[in-house]
Amino acid sequence: MQHVDPEVLALLALGEHGAASDDEHSHLAACAVCRAEEASLAQVVEVARADDRGLVAPPPEVWERVRAEVGRAEPEPAPVVDLASRRRRPSVLWGAVAASVALVAGAGVGVLWERSQVPEPPTEIAPVAVAEAELEPLPDWPTSAGRAVVTESTGGELEIVVDVGGAEAGDGYREVWLIADDLSGMVSLGVLEGTSGTFPVPAGLDLATYSLVDVSEEPFDGDPTHSGDSIVRGGLTEA
């Protein structure tokens, strides 16, 4: 006997077990090819009938592509097939199954499209402390004290957080410096406003050499150099 008619296999996949004759059922039981084709069609029907997928409507351009694929301007409802006429019109049921698959596939594309429009929240990684210093008061500022912490971001940028408490600045302002440990050079990081501030460390500056953190009292005299009046100072050590 020849293989079971594809339309009969499609009807069986849809649950119409009476659509096959006894001979066709017997052939199906013995033919691995026909059983595999019926199982494949049953999977298609299961996907088409599923109602718990949480699908959302895709954008209009997705429907346009689906319509172009199935070769018609608007989707049409699948017709009810008379079992007596199935031998004469084998393409009708296949069209209905194909339409169901196309609609499910289009809706799935819509879900993927919508999900792709939701940006993933960026993963923020806090900077890591790499060095620190206890800032001790100098003789003219006995009530002052402070602390400095150097942090490194994931991109390698260094910042130094300086906190100074105690006596307020007099008629001038406070300035933060990095000084070479042999006092051979110094770099200004900026003005300390209030008791705390965060300052970027200049790129390429070697903190192993410029390891002293200094906060000075500066007069408003227009001179950018260190006044020589340090409030607190301390050496950086590895955190």
Side-chain angles (χ1 to χ4, degrees), residues 59-152:
E61 56 267 26
V62 173
W63 286 122
E64 293 299 327
R65 291 197 296 270
V66 172
R67 290 168 184 154
E69 289 294 330
V70 299
R72 54 191 173 196
E74 296 293 337
E76 299 175 358
V80 178
V81 180
D82 182 1
L83 295 181
S85 63
R86 67 181 188 274
R87 300 290 183 183
R88 299 192 300 271
R89 296 190 295 161
S91 63
V92 174
L93 183 59
W94 282 106
V97 174
S100 297
V101 174
L103 290 176
V104 171
V109 171
V111 172
L112 294 177
W113 178 88
E114 180 175 288
R115 289 178 179 172
S116 69
Q117 306 309 304
V118 180
E120 292 292 333
T123 302
E124 296 184 1
I125 302 177
V128 178
V130 295
E132 58 188 1
E134 296 298 328
L135 305 180
E136 302 294 337
L138 274 76
D140 290 340
W141 303 86
T143 62
S144 295
R147 190 168 186 267
V149 177
V150 178
T151 62
E152 182 177 10

Side-chain angles (χ1 to χ4, degrees), residues 168-230:
E168 295 292 332
D171 295 332
Y173 59 92
R174 291 174 172 180
E175 190 166 358
V176 179
W177 306 79
L178 286 175
I179 302 177
D181 53 9
D182 60 359
L183 305 181
S184 62
M186 61 180 62
V187 176
S188 173
L189 298 183
V191 175
L192 178 64
E193 298 180 356
T195 61
S196 180
T198 302
F199 306 89
V201 176
L205 188 68
D206 184 5
L207 292 183
T209 300
Y210 286 82
S211 60
L212 295 178
V213 180
D214 181 278
V215 180
S216 67
E217 165 83 357
E218 298 291 332
F220 291 101
D221 58 2
D223 186 351
T225 61
H226 195 291
S227 67
D229 186 7
S230 293

